[in-house]
Amino acid sequence: MSSRTTKTEAVVLRSIRFGEADCVLHLYTLAKGRVGAIAKGVRKTKSRFGARLEPFSHAELLLHEGRGELHTVRGADLIRSHERSRTDGYRLAVGHIGLESMLRLFVEQEANQPAFHALTRFLDLLDDVEATLPAKPALDPLVLSFQLKLVWLSGYLPHLAGCASCGEELPLVGFSARAGGSVCASCEAGSVPVSADGFEGIRALLEHPLADALDARLGPEALRQCLRVIEATYEEHGGFRLRTLAHTR
């Protein structure tokens, strides 16, 4: 194998049509982190890659690094297709939120194995998610837990043990992304209001394994507060908003 060719596990985050039969892929890989690649002829009926390179797919890829910015996919062996999530409307919407969060938080070609394993675990668990009333994908506990963990893995662990501004422990009444965590009544100006139940839910979704989110018993308001905390963190530290959240809340 050439020194410019890498064999690595990868998840397809996004696929964009290019030319008559090719696709440009946004990948998150175990070996290199975020990678852009071109899959030539993948849209042809007789393509040897077929559905192995659809968004959500977890595959082992052979990537060749050429002179341009994009790698070339030379081989693809499917590990898990996650077809169940791609073909169910609710799971599809939840999954796209998770994939976009990876796209926006991890932009460098730098390996982050915990982030990769969190992504594959999220997709594995997503296949078993069931919509519950009110069925709002943006408030699904699994994708909220996943986003909180990604925020942590990207370097923005929120301080939730006391007031991030003055150090007081109780009562905590809000979340300030600028201050880096929870704040007390004296420091709440400009913060996102969060109740005691909301803080309890945020801690549970952040600190417990992703699988526990499937059985989370959080009320609608606690889930909404968790989402607002995540969005405030994105805006403060990343300067972005997720487009997928605008249509799924």
Side-chain angles (χ1 to χ4, degrees), residues 173-192:
V173 300
F175 179 88
S176 170
R178 180 160 299 180
S182 52
V183 290
C184 67
S186 299
C187 304
E188 68 174 322
S191 67
V192 174

Side-chain angles (χ1 to χ4, degrees), residues 121 125 141-142 145 149 204-205 207-218:
R121 182 61 172 153
L125 292 169
L142 177 62
S145 180
K149 288 172 171 56
L205 294 176
E207 297 169 4
H208 294 174
L210 270 174
D212 290 0
L214 297 180
D215 299 317
R217 296 291 183 265
L218 302 178

